[in-house]
Amino acid sequence: PFIDHILHYPKHKHSTHGRRTLSSWQQYRFLKSLRAKDFELAIGLRSHFSRRQGLIVYTSGAPYRLGHFPQRKRYRHLAFFYNIPAQNPRSHKHEVERSLDVVRSIGIDLADPFPEVTIDAASRDFAESQVKRLGITGFPVIGYHISNRDAVNCWSVDNFSKLIHLLGEKYPNACHIITHAPGDRGRALGLAAAGGGGCHAIGTATIKEVGALQLKCQLFVTLDGAPNHLSAALGVPTLALFGGSDPIVWGPWGPKNRAIKKSDDINAIAPQDVFQKAVEMIDNRSLR
């Protein structure tokens, strides 16, 4: 409710080789439209200096530009991108806190910060229709997101299947919702079939539809990535599994959420490890 407009541009790395020229043109048009907005303040929220972000902030034309000055010598010549330095040094803490450190530099502070995400009515209606269609009425409802762009952060379908069976034995009336990226539909359907009658793979068209499904869950088990942060921001107890990423920085934000990491190989995490933590979270929730 506090956001008036979202402006976006395509990244080169998400384009095929033949579409790089089109991506460059779209980025140029984005920067041109950004400058036309006549912003007074532009903030680079990333917790470290980024050439791309710095260019966007500078190109906005805002007379006040807040962000991290470059620390690396090879980028020092780009310090002009910002004219208000973010005072707080980057440290080993959650990215939410590191981003808040940027705006604390200009006197904006929150004693108890917590994200706010609004799920639109259409997305809520989508989730409600799916729940009714599939007869998801048991307790607990447990969600799983099985997708990640980086293979090092992908827990195997076999591990997810073993976890679902362990939780099914513990909670015979449980229902299981599987969400996934578009390219993982086959894996999700296979997992749902292996999970049995209370297990359902639900395809989503938008990230807000994923959020609406998360709100139906008493626990959401996920990998590193956007669904991890969205679930936590919606107040859904979130259990995130990590491989190559650092859960201290990228884990689900909030005191009732948990993260598990054993090594850079995410499949070093055993289904029994996740089961034990999931039971602890579900049982604690059911007592409240």
Side-chain angles (χ1 to χ4, degrees):
F2 308 108
I3 296 174
D4 297 310
H5 302 286
I6 295 175
L7 310 176
H8 60 91
Y9 65 93
K11 287 187 175 182
H12 284 319
K13 70 179 182 179
H14 297 154
S15 303
T16 59
H17 180 71
R19 294 176 61 85
R20 289 294 179 99
T21 301
L22 177 60
S23 174
S24 297
W25 172 246
Q26 290 172 330
Q27 289 188 29
Y28 167 76
R29 291 183 63 188
F30 162 76
L31 292 172
K32 188 175 180 180
S33 67
L34 188 69
R35 195 172 186 86
K37 299 292 183 181
D38 292 325
F39 293 113
E40 295 180 358
L41 169 65
I43 302 173
L45 272 179
R46 285 185 72 168
S47 61
H48 60 282
F49 179 79
S50 159
R51 286 177 297 173
R52 172 66 61 181
Q53 178 179 260
L55 176 63
I56 291 172
V57 169
Y58 181 75
T59 306
S60 74
Y64 302 102
R65 303 182 303 278
L66 168 64
H68 283 285
F69 280 18
Q71 299 298 312
R72 295 183 181 180
K73 187 175 181 179
R74 62 175 175 166
Y75 295 144
R76 296 280 173 81
H77 66 289
L78 300 176
F80 68 90
F81 282 161
Y82 301 107
N83 55 19
I84 306 175
Q87 300 291 341
N88 294 283
R90 188 182 185 200
S91 58
H92 194 218
K93 56 185 175 182
H94 200 281
E95 184 70 7
V96 168
E97 282 291 342
R98 299 198 307 198
S99 297
L100 288 171
D101 281 346
V102 175
V103 295
R104 287 178 179 129
S105 301
I106 54 173
I108 299 172
D109 200 2
L110 296 171
D112 187 21
F114 196 81
E116 180 175 337
V117 177
T118 301
I119 302 297
D120 57 279
S123 297
R124 288 178 179 269
D125 290 345
F126 162 81
E128 190 64 33
S129 67
Q130 293 296 312
V131 166
K132 287 183 178 179
R133 178 179 68 86
L134 297 169
I136 299 174
T137 58
F139 180 89
V141 178
I142 306 171
Y144 310 83
H145 189 80
I146 66 170
S147 300
N148 189 284
R149 278 195 312 230
D150 193 340
V152 74
N153 286 326
C154 285
W155 209 41
S156 71
V157 169
D158 183 57
N159 279 336
F160 272 111
S161 178
K162 290 176 181 176
L163 173 63
I164 289 172
H165 281 287
L166 286 169
L167 288 168
E169 292 173 5
K170 173 69 177 179
Y171 306 105
N173 295 321
C175 291
H176 308 270
I177 295 175
I178 301 165
T179 61
H180 55 89
D184 275 340
R185 178 168 173 76
R187 292 174 67 236
L189 290 173
L191 177 58
C199 200
H200 310 280
I202 302 178
T204 53
T206 69
I207 191 66
K208 290 294 185 75
E209 288 183 354
V210 175
L213 289 170
Q214 289 172 333
L215 286 171
K216 299 293 183 182
C217 299
Q218 279 74 54
L219 175 69
F220 197 77
V221 181
T222 180
L223 310 176
D224 182 23
N228 159 35
H229 305 300
L230 179 60
S231 178
L234 290 170
V236 178
T238 303
L239 177 54
L241 314 182
F242 281 78
S245 301
D246 185 349
I248 292 176
V249 178
W250 299 109
W253 173 256
K256 64 182 177 182
N257 305 311
R258 300 290 183 269
I260 300 176
K261 175 172 179 167
K262 286 198 165 181
S263 72
D264 285 348
D265 178 9
I266 192 172
N267 286 294
I269 302 172
Q272 185 69 32
D273 298 327
V274 186
F275 169 74
Q276 290 174 353
K277 186 62 67 176
V279 169
E280 175 188 314
M281 295 175 71
I282 291 168
D283 288 352
N284 285 345
R285 186 186 191 283
S286 66
L287 292 174
R288 288 199 291 272

